[in-house]
Amino acid sequence: MKIRLAGIVNESVVDGPGIRMAVFTQGCPHHCAGCQNPETHDFMGGYLADTDEILKPMANRKYIKGLTVSGGEPLCQVQAVAELAKKTKAMGKDVVIYTGYLVEELLEKAKEDANIVELLQNTDYLIDGPFIESQKSLHLVFRGSVNQRVIDIPKTLSAGKVVLC
Ligand code: SF4
């Protein structure tokens, strides 16, 4: 399946726990003031990549703990991102998703979108919410602004309420 990307970092230590593959999707509707990656906003920018090809380098590297999908806005290409997440979990690795949406919004949309259900079922940690420049902090781990949350998705789905890490 094709996905439009801004870029890939095969080995990152700043996009979640451990050494990870980080995939940055192209296209974002949020336009947060102070966004660090404005070049990822254009939905016609970036380049097209194949989901199976993206994952190949990670499959051969046991020391890579998992996959992080950031953006841009990953949820704008949810079918392809769900496929990346599902195949990553099948390798025994974990999945971190960044989104400018709130998890409550995603859970509501999931009632009518099976791709969001599939993505959430294959996500370990979700960092949610837009970047808010007035709440920016350099002391946060894996987050840019205080409003953003690191959410344990398996626990959230089983508890029926948001469970933070
Ligand atoms: S959601 Fe992320 S990529 Fe999109 S504008 Fe906000 S900070 Fe930038």
Side-chain angles (χ1 to χ4, degrees), residues 27-38 40-41 70-73 99-101 129-131 148:
C28 182
H30 302 296
H31 299 288
C32 308
C35 171
Q36 299 289 303
N37 301 308
T40 67
H41 295 182
S70 186
E73 174 51 70
T99 178
Y101 295 106
F131 172 70
Q148 295 171 320

Side-chain angles (χ1 to χ4, degrees), residues 32-159:
C32 308
C35 171
Q36 299 289 303
N37 301 308
E39 68 281 0
T40 67
H41 295 182
D42 181 2
F43 283 92
M44 298 307 290
Y47 61 95
L48 288 174
D50 182 82
T51 49
D52 286 330
E53 292 298 319
I54 291 167
L55 296 175
K56 270 184 186 169
M58 189 168 65
N60 299 328
R61 296 175 182 151
K62 288 187 176 165
Y63 59 87
I64 295 189
K65 189 171 184 303
L67 173 74
T68 293
V69 186
S70 186
E73 174 51 70
L75 268 292
C76 288
Q77 300 182 80
V78 64
Q79 187 175 5
V81 174
E83 183 172 294
L84 287 174
K86 189 175 181 180
K87 290 184 173 175
T88 298
K89 294 294 287 182
M91 291 179 204
K93 298 179 186 289
D94 64 19
V95 173
V96 173
I97 303 291
Y98 280 79
T99 178
Y101 295 106
L102 298 176
V103 73
E104 290 87 349
E105 294 177 274
L106 299 185
L107 291 169
E108 192 59 34
K109 288 181 185 196
K111 293 175 183 170
E112 296 179 354
D113 190 334
N115 291 313
I116 295 179
V117 174
E118 184 167 41
L119 175 60
L120 292 175
Q121 287 176 340
N122 289 286
T123 297
D124 295 281
Y125 305 107
L126 184 87
I127 292 94
D128 83 337
F131 172 70
I132 298 179
E133 198 168 20
S134 62
Q135 297 186 38
K136 177 180 177 179
S137 171
L138 299 176
H139 303 293
L140 300 169
V141 179
F142 308 136
R143 297 179 290 154
S145 56
V146 172
N147 63 294
Q148 295 171 320
R149 302 173 293 183
V150 182
I151 298 165
D152 185 318
I153 291 297
K155 286 182 182 173
T156 293
L157 294 180
S158 75

